[in-house]
Amino acid sequence: MKSRRAFLRGAGGVALAIPFLPSVMGRTARASDGSPTKFIQCASFYSLPRSTTEPGYLDYERLTYHEDGAIPWQSLDADTRGRSLRTVVERFGSLSYVLNGRWNRHIDRLNVTQNLHGYFQTDLHNTSTAISASVHPDGYNRPGRPYSADWLVARKFQREAPSLIDTLRVNLMPDWVCCADKNLAMSYGVVDGETQTYEGAETLNHLLAELQGAAGPADAGAEVARRANEGRRQVLNAVLGDYRRLRDHARIDRADRVRLEQAVDQWADIERSIVAAPAPRSCSEFGAAPGGLNFREQHEVAMDMVVLALSCGLTRTVSYYVQHLGDSGLTDIHSVHGAGHDSRTHIDGKGLDEMARWRSDRIADLCDRLADTDDEFGRPLLESTILQFNHEYSTFGHEQLGFINVTVAGEGTGLRTGLQIDAGGAPVNRSHITNMMAAGLTLEDIELDGEAGFGQYLDPGEDGTSRDIWNHNDSWVNGHREYRYERVGHFLRDAERRKALPILS
Amino acid sequence: MQRSLPVLLLGLFACVGEIGGSGAGDVMGPRVGEDGVPGDTMLPPDSPSLRPTDERACDDPAAPPVGSVRPRTTGELVAGLEGLLGPVAQDPDVVRSLSLLRRDRPDNVGAATTQRDYRADDLLSVMGGVAQVVARRADEVLVECPADCRLGALDFAERAFGRPLVEGEVADFDALFADFESTLAIELAVLRTLLSPSFTEHVVLGAEEEGDRIRLRAEEVAARLSLSLTGTPPDQALIDAVAEAGDAAALTELASTLIDTPAGRAHIAQLLRHWLLLDGIPEPEATVAERAGVDRAGMSEAASEELMRFLDDLIFERDGTFADLFLDTMVYPVDARLAETFGVPVGERTESASHGGILRRPATLQATSPYPSVVVRGLFVRHALLCETIPMPDDAVVADRLDELGELSPAEYSQREIITQQTAELPCASCHDSINPTGFAFEGFDTLGRVRDVQEVYDASGALIATHGVDTTGSVLIDGALRPVDGIEGLAQALAESTQAQRCFTTRMVELTRQRPSTPADGCVLRDLDALVAEGASVREVLVQSVVNEQLLWRAAEETGR
């Protein structure tokens, strides 16, 4: 496995400095308003305890469970049910202790998916990598199939229309004491048969400086890119003419003509997308990291940076690691580990719930910034963005962790939102497939090795670890969440592996 | 051999379902999709339209093939680009672009070539990357550049299209060089060339019509010949030679020369690789490899290389026949692990007492399970070598049957006993009656492709907990009759003599060299090829004759016009 320290792959490269066909997007990778879809993968270990995150589940003040069934569910498909998050907020004031009132502004763009399962994972903390399928190449994704979701999305985006930076990788926690060899790897994939891992920036200032350096040439290249766009439109017009002439030739068989008609349609779509695309925007000055060790402030600067990089077209994919635990947050993973086993364990005066809430607030901060910043078309950046916040699905006594994924997706993306979704025990893989498809990926883009679905699928009957995952979590939960072990075989089928949640629009 | 087998949806047999999954590998073995229940993702990459059991109807020896245009395959596009770019094809950015093309269209071969959806965005991405590199290194790719890159771009397009440019095309290129600065103009001109259907499609419009046939022009015949046998577009010398060729003998001579070139041998190797489903050879199972003290890293590549050396040597150096494909006893121990498997020293070609032919090689035998699947091995033979189509099993039937039987422990039962119990009753038996005995013949070889007398069973820690004797006997359905077979040697002999296998081979070769499904119009060609194989002609001659025949010069005139 090759480790790449590069966190701005492609930055400064001549070939990519002028994006190739920056406005040429496949139809599915463009938000409905024409803006290219952006993808943000947020990840953290030991986060989102189920009881205090699940909407409408626990009354944190009184430490009592809300009545199950108080807010009705509606069936979405044979495995899945859903209910309105707005209804939850209207009844309880906020979604949950972790997804607190900070999120209310975004509930119509939010999906909280629960009852996802990690029973296809072979390792303890590596399960974790349900986190995002973006942390450990040997964990969640089976060896030999090491494609993280953000890597696949970036690959798709770059193939359509390369940005200067394929993925902006942000990891503000270089002093992580555990598993530094693997946990710092934010995303990974296979290039020329070799697994590549990419690390986040080691300091925020370093990252900011790199971006500033990249932004200058990007601005200078904007006019060149505009000219290139003109030329490419001219080329595509000529190619379209070639296909039309061939299609219309008297000696083309009827069957062949059908395929050529398909080609004509596709080239015409692409040509139209160039005509409709705006000129690239310029990047403004990137800031500087604050002094001291206030991690909230550091994340605020980093998130400003992310939003700016997205809005000015430096990148369309972001991999963002949120691991601090508070403003003066701890970095001692072993302490957090203890809290994972027992939420009564307090670290620096905080319990796991409070730490998760702090992280949740950071993501809500990022959503605020996305909502308050314009994209290429002058619309809120959030409306052309898919943000997924994933975390650890763990076992062996980390009973409180897992089984909930949070996604924020703009109106222009391919997702129905505003839903609390009960996935019926489907593997967490399904959530990733859903979001990737919403970002415009097809199964062909996802199944690079030809196997059905995404990530690892192991039969939990095969080894004790997986059974433990099942047993622990099944025994812990309160009545209204149900993980049906006997349905594992159902979810292992190829067709099920490939299925998205029924929220793709 | 635990690769995904393409299984066709329409059955040759009337079998209505099968159980192959989770039997052998219930405890440690592979899961769905690996142990004989091909996943429902597996669409046929090259399903023959004509099956071996179909009548080779030859009503009209002059019947021309249908089809006016087909997309060039991934291999053809890559070969075409490499020819155009020369050394610049090794530029890392070009390599990256081409790897995307290869990765995204791995099954764009044979009959599947015309079955895939058009993907403009894929082509745009790949060719865009290549065009940027050419613009950067124009003086290495375009003649007359930097002095007059416009001329170089026109020459590049003519080489790509294999013909002179027409007036409108020249005007397009001129406009690009008039409107844009030089580097961008070069990039755009190259992109315009590489996206044109004149490069990405194989078009045969033809010249004169004669009744229901259209005679092809010399450049079209040359393109057919060259693409079929080398996977590359024709050069001017070949076009001229085809134009001057007066008869079939002259074309045969040209074809024989082409197939012997390095490009020809490499292309044929790729076709055979596809025929034998070699793209999916896995590294062998870890437990067995570890117990044998074998480093399994890279074993799939070594096994694949060994088989390809065998095929290349047999076909091009020894003029091997169809029967030799199964019965030849030469092996090619390219590394120490293979040498140990064969029981010979590392080296070049050598005779083996235990291995040989297509069937008895690690490439065919390696498996990802400690208990190589009887079903997968059987399906490989029935699908790839006998061109049978076997339907997907019904999930509910499989689940019911497994529930009914309960757990059959490999510690207690052999692989053969488990699969026999699981598939003994209808509807499973309707297919497994032919699959299982075929797979049983392989039982004398383990996961690494080594000869074995017993099937070893391990627990989760890899410790040996049981052994079972292997039974390699069975009655295999071939040519519509049951034939007693003992071991792979017996199966190989039966296949070498089988009309069904011979016809499967000729059908596959026609489809792979022509990159399209076979059709009833190919009946006469297939009949002649069947006869050649039956007479003991060399595989090389069969390949040449699958391309050089009356059909080479014609296409059907029917269904043209609007």
Side-chain angles (χ1 to χ4, degrees), chain B residues 138-153 182 186:
Chain B
D139 55 338
E140 299 173 69
V141 180
L142 306 183
V143 297
E144 306 286 345
C145 200
D148 189 346
C149 294
R150 176 188 152 278
L151 278 181
S182 178
I186 293 169

Side-chain angles (χ1 to χ4, degrees), chain A residues 20-21 155 159 227 231-232 242-243 248 250-251 253 256-257 259 266-267 444 452 462 493-495 498, chain B residues 31 39-41 67-68 104 116 118-120 125 179 187 192 196 200-201 205-207 395 555 561-562:
Chain A
F20 174 69
L21 294 175
R155 173 181 176 273
R159 295 190 63 218
R227 287 283 292 157
R232 286 153 188 165
D242 286 351
Y243 272 98
D248 296 337
R251 283 191 173 167
D253 288 357
D256 294 332
R257 185 168 288 126
R259 194 177 59 81
Q266 290 186 20
W267 288 118
E444 196 173 29
E462 273 196 326
R493 296 173 182 173
D494 282 358
R498 290 176 153 158
Chain B
R31 311 307 306 173
D40 51 6
T41 65
S68 49
D104 287 349
R116 290 183 62 89
Y118 190 83
R119 290 286 300 266
S125 174
D179 295 345
E187 177 188 329
R192 196 247 176 278
S196 170
T200 61
E201 305 276 339
L205 298 175
D395 285 345
R555 55 159 287 204
R562 304 197 75 177

Side-chain angles (χ1 to χ4, degrees), chain B residues 78-361:
Chain B
V78 170
L81 286 168
E82 288 174 344
L84 286 168
L85 301 181
V88 174
Q90 302 310 313
D91 184 288
D93 287 332
V94 173
V95 170
R96 177 169 166 266
S97 291
L98 298 190
S99 71
L100 292 175
L101 190 63
R102 287 192 177 100
R103 184 180 301 153
D104 287 349
R105 297 190 163 190
D107 59 346
N108 182 22
V109 181
T113 303
T114 56
Q115 296 170 358
R116 290 183 62 89
D117 287 341
Y118 190 83
R119 290 286 300 266
D121 54 345
D122 282 352
L123 278 176
L124 184 59
S125 174
V126 170
M127 300 310 182
V130 172
Q132 285 187 333
V133 174
V134 174
R136 204 171 70 223
R137 301 177 63 177
D139 55 338
E140 299 173 69
V141 180
L142 306 183
V143 297
E144 306 286 345
C145 200
D148 189 346
C149 294
R150 176 188 152 278
L151 278 181
L154 293 175
D155 170 77
F156 182 86
E158 292 196 340
R159 287 192 290 132
F161 297 170
R163 59 169 173 77
L165 299 181
V166 299
E167 196 173 314
E169 289 169 334
V170 173
D172 281 348
F173 286 103
D174 284 346
L176 292 174
F177 279 89
D179 295 345
F180 299 97
E181 58 279 16
S182 178
T183 303
L184 179 56
I186 293 169
E187 177 188 329
L188 296 172
V190 170
L191 184 62
R192 196 247 176 278
T193 300
L194 299 181
L195 293 179
S196 170
S198 294
F199 180 68
T200 61
E201 305 276 339
H202 176 38
V203 182
V204 283
L205 298 175
E208 315 91 47
E209 283 192 32
E210 295 182 14
D212 61 354
R213 305 192 303 175
I214 302 173
R215 178 179 281 277
L216 303 192
R217 291 171 290 153
E219 58 263 34
E220 293 171 332
V221 174
R224 265 192 184 171
L225 204 55
S226 189
L227 290 172
S228 296
L229 294 173
T230 70
T232 59
D235 56 19
Q236 193 57 46
L238 180 62
I239 295 171
D240 294 342
V242 167
E244 290 167 11
D247 53 22
L251 287 172
T252 301
E253 190 176 330
L254 279 176
S256 299
T257 304
L258 279 176
I259 200 172
D260 266 338
T261 60
R265 287 169 75 143
H267 180 60
I268 296 301
Q270 283 306 311
L271 299 188
L272 296 173
R273 186 184 181 87
H274 184 74
W275 170 46
L276 295 171
L277 310 172
L278 273 176
D279 288 331
I281 297 176
E283 304 293 10
E285 198 274 335
T287 307
V288 176
E290 191 174 327
R291 286 182 61 86
V294 172
D295 176 7
R296 66 190 185 122
M299 283 192 75
S300 64
E301 288 83 0
S304 174
E305 183 186 346
E306 196 276 331
L307 178 54
M308 297 315 296
R309 283 200 193 185
F310 160 64
L311 292 169
D312 184 78
D313 184 50
L314 183 74
I315 294 169
F316 293 103
E317 302 296 338
R318 297 193 280 135
D319 268 339
T321 65
F322 171 77
D324 293 331
L325 289 173
F326 297 97
L327 303 176
D328 190 79
T329 55
M330 292 298 175
V331 294
Y332 302 77
V334 296
D335 70 13
R337 294 169 299 188
L338 288 174
E340 187 177 342
T341 297
F342 297 143
V344 298
V346 175
E348 297 300 317
R349 180 177 76 199
T350 185
E351 185 130 19
S352 168
S354 57
H355 290 75
I358 290 170
L359 301 181
R360 287 184 298 159
R361 316 196 88 84

Side-chain angles (χ1 to χ4, degrees), chain B residues 421-488:
Chain B
Q421 289 189 61
Q422 289 176 329
T423 62
E425 297 179 5
L426 288 173
C428 315
S430 60
C431 292
H432 281 272
D433 277 355
S434 67
I435 297 170
N436 295 357
T438 314
F440 293 152
F442 288 82
E443 281 288 89
F445 289 85
D446 70 7
T447 285
L448 298 172
R450 299 172 308 179
V451 174
R452 69 175 180 182
D453 298 323
V454 295
Q455 177 199 338
E456 297 183 337
V457 181
Y458 314 105
D459 66 12
S461 69
L464 181 68
I465 56 172
T467 59
H468 306 289
V470 296
D471 178 357
T472 62
T473 61
S475 293
V476 177
L477 183 65
I478 292 185
D479 296 339
L482 290 174
R483 174 167 172 158
V485 157
D486 187 357
I488 299 188

Side-chain angles (χ1 to χ4, degrees), chain A residues 127 242 354:
Chain A
T127 61
D242 286 351
E354 293 165 274

